[in-house]
Coordinates of all heavy atoms in Angstrom, one line a residue:
F146 N 18.7 1.5 -13.4 CA 18.0 2.6 -14.2 C 19.2 3.3 -14.9 O 20.3 3.2 -14.7 CB 17.4 3.6 -13.2 CG 16.0 2.9 -12.8 CD1 16.1 2.1 -11.6 CD2 14.7 3.2 -13.3 CE1 14.9 1.5 -11.2 CE2 13.6 2.7 -12.8 CZ 13.7 1.9 -11.7
E147 N 18.7 4.2 -15.9 CA 19.7 4.9 -16.6 C 20.2 6.1 -15.8 O 21.4 6.5 -16.0 CB 18.9 5.6 -17.9 CG 18.5 4.8 -18.9 CD 17.7 5.3 -20.0 OE1 16.6 5.8 -19.8 OE2 18.3 5.3 -21.2
S148 N 19.4 6.6 -14.8 CA 19.9 7.7 -14.0 C 19.2 7.7 -12.6 O 18.2 6.9 -12.5 CB 19.6 9.1 -14.7 OG 18.3 9.3 -15.0
S149 N 19.7 8.5 -11.7 CA 19.1 8.4 -10.3 C 19.6 9.5 -9.5 O 20.3 10.4 -9.8 CB 19.5 7.1 -9.6 OG 20.9 7.1 -9.5
S150 N 18.7 9.7 -8.3 CA 19.1 10.6 -7.3 C 19.9 9.9 -6.3 O 19.7 8.8 -5.8 CB 17.7 11.1 -6.6 OG 18.0 11.7 -5.4
T151 N 21.1 10.5 -5.9 CA 22.0 10.0 -5.1 C 22.7 10.9 -4.2 O 22.8 11.9 -4.4 CB 23.2 9.2 -6.0 OG1 24.0 8.6 -5.2 CG2 24.0 10.2 -6.8
D152 N 23.1 10.4 -2.9 CA 24.0 11.0 -2.1 C 25.5 10.4 -2.0 O 26.1 10.5 -1.0 CB 23.4 11.3 -0.7 CG 23.0 10.0 0.0 OD1 23.3 8.9 -0.5 OD2 22.6 10.1 1.0
S153 N 25.8 9.8 -3.0 CA 27.1 9.1 -3.2 C 28.2 10.2 -3.0 O 29.3 9.9 -2.7 CB 27.3 8.5 -4.6 OG 26.5 7.5 -4.7
F154 N 27.9 11.6 -3.4 CA 29.0 12.5 -3.3 C 28.8 13.5 -2.1 O 29.3 14.6 -2.2 CB 29.0 13.3 -4.6 CG 29.1 12.4 -5.8 CD1 28.0 12.1 -6.6 CD2 30.3 11.9 -6.2 CE1 28.1 11.3 -7.7 CE2 30.3 11.0 -7.3 CZ 29.3 10.8 -8.0
G155 N 27.9 13.0 -1.2 CA 27.7 13.9 0.1 C 26.3 14.5 -0.2 O 25.3 13.8 0.1
P156 N 26.1 15.8 -0.6 CA 24.7 16.2 -0.8 C 24.0 15.5 -1.9 O 24.7 14.9 -2.8 CB 25.0 17.7 -1.3 CG 26.4 18.0 -0.8 CD 27.0 16.8 -0.9
L157 N 22.7 15.5 -2.0 CA 22.0 14.8 -2.9 C 22.4 15.5 -4.3 O 22.5 16.7 -4.5 CB 20.5 15.0 -2.8 CG 19.8 14.2 -1.7 CD1 18.4 14.7 -1.4 CD2 19.8 12.7 -2.1
A158 N 22.5 14.5 -5.3 CA 22.9 15.1 -6.7 C 22.3 14.1 -7.7 O 22.1 12.9 -7.4 CB 24.5 15.0 -6.7
P159 N 22.2 14.6 -8.9 CA 21.7 13.6 -10.0 C 22.9 12.8 -10.6 O 24.1 13.4 -10.6 CB 21.2 14.5 -11.0 CG 21.9 15.9 -10.9 CD 22.2 15.9 -9.3
L160 N 22.6 11.6 -10.9 CA 23.7 10.7 -11.4 C 23.2 10.2 -12.7 O 22.1 9.4 -12.7 CB 24.0 9.6 -10.5 CG 25.1 8.6 -10.8 CD1 26.5 9.4 -11.1 CD2 25.3 7.4 -9.9
N161 N 23.8 10.4 -13.8 CA 23.5 10.0 -15.2 C 24.3 8.9 -15.7 O 24.9 9.0 -16.7 CB 23.3 11.1 -16.1 CG 22.0 12.0 -15.9 OD1 20.9 11.6 -16.1 ND2 22.3 13.3 -15.3
D162 N 24.5 7.9 -14.8 CA 25.5 6.9 -15.2 C 25.1 5.5 -14.9 O 25.9 4.7 -14.5 CB 26.9 7.2 -14.5 CG 28.1 6.4 -15.0 OD1 28.1 6.0 -16.1 OD2 28.9 6.1 -14.2
G163 N 23.7 5.2 -14.8 CA 23.3 3.9 -14.4 C 23.6 2.8 -15.5 O 24.0 3.2 -16.6
L164 N 23.2 1.6 -15.1 CA 23.5 0.4 -16.0 C 22.4 0.6 -17.2 O 22.6 0.0 -18.3 CB 23.1 -0.8 -15.3 CG 24.2 -1.2 -14.2 CD1 23.9 -2.4 -13.6 CD2 25.6 -1.2 -14.7
G165 N 21.3 1.2 -17.1 CA 20.3 1.4 -18.2 C 19.6 0.1 -18.3 O 19.0 -0.1 -19.4
F166 N 19.5 -0.8 -17.5 CA 18.6 -2.1 -17.7 C 17.2 -1.6 -17.6 O 16.3 -2.4 -18.3 CB 18.9 -3.0 -16.5 CG 20.2 -3.6 -16.6 CD1 21.1 -3.4 -17.5 CD2 20.4 -4.5 -15.6 CE1 22.3 -4.1 -17.5 CE2 21.6 -5.4 -15.5 CZ 22.7 -5.0 -16.5
I167 N 16.8 -0.5 -17.0 CA 15.5 0.0 -17.0 C 15.6 1.5 -17.5 O 16.4 2.2 -17.0 CB 14.9 0.0 -15.5 CG1 14.9 -1.6 -15.1 CG2 13.4 0.5 -15.5 CD1 14.5 -1.7 -13.6
P168 N 14.6 1.9 -18.2 CA 14.6 3.2 -18.9 C 14.2 4.2 -17.7 O 13.5 3.9 -16.9 CB 13.6 3.2 -20.0 CG 12.6 2.1 -19.6 CD 13.6 1.1 -19.0
G169 N 14.8 5.5 -18.0 CA 14.5 6.6 -17.1 C 15.3 6.7 -15.8 O 16.4 6.1 -15.6
S170 N 14.7 7.3 -14.8 CA 15.3 7.7 -13.6 C 14.7 7.0 -12.4 O 13.6 6.6 -12.5 CB 15.4 9.2 -13.4 OG 14.3 9.8 -13.3
A171 N 15.4 7.1 -11.3 CA 14.9 6.5 -10.0 C 15.2 7.3 -8.8 O 16.3 8.0 -8.9 CB 15.5 5.1 -9.8
C172 N 14.2 7.3 -8.0 CA 14.6 7.9 -6.5 C 14.0 7.1 -5.4 O 12.8 6.9 -5.3 CB 13.9 9.3 -6.5 SG 14.1 10.2 -5.0
P173 N 14.9 6.5 -4.7 CA 14.5 5.7 -3.6 C 14.3 6.7 -2.3 O 14.5 7.8 -2.3 CB 15.7 4.7 -3.3 CG 17.0 5.6 -3.7 CD 16.3 6.5 -4.9
H174 N 13.8 6.1 -1.1 CA 13.7 6.9 0.1 C 12.9 8.1 -0.2 O 13.2 9.2 0.5 CB 14.9 7.3 0.7 CG 16.0 5.9 0.8 ND1 15.6 5.0 1.6 CD2 17.2 5.8 0.2 CE1 16.8 4.1 1.6 NE2 17.6 4.6 0.8
Y175 N 11.8 8.2 -0.8 CA 11.2 9.2 -1.4 C 10.6 10.2 -0.4 O 10.9 11.4 -0.3 CB 10.1 8.8 -2.3 CG 9.6 10.0 -3.3 CD1 10.5 10.8 -4.0 CD2 8.3 10.3 -3.4 CE1 10.0 11.8 -4.9 CE2 7.9 11.4 -4.2 CZ 8.8 12.0 -5.1 OH 8.3 13.0 -5.8
F176 N 10.0 9.5 0.7 CA 9.6 10.5 1.9 C 10.4 10.1 3.2 O 10.3 10.7 4.2 CB 8.1 10.2 2.2 CG 7.1 10.7 1.0 CD1 6.5 9.8 0.3 CD2 6.9 12.1 0.9 CE1 5.6 10.2 -0.7 CE2 6.1 12.4 -0.2 CZ 5.4 11.6 -0.9
G177 N 11.4 9.2 3.0 CA 12.0 8.7 4.1 C 13.4 9.4 4.4 O 13.9 9.3 5.5

Side-chain angles (χ1 to χ4, degrees):
F146 290 80
E147 293 179 294
S148 58
S149 61
S150 163
T151 181
D152 56 9
S153 296
F154 308 101
L157 286 171
L160 179 66
N161 287 288
D162 191 32
L164 297 179
F166 289 3
I167 300 171
S170 63
C172 181
H174 308 299
Y175 199 51
F176 293 108

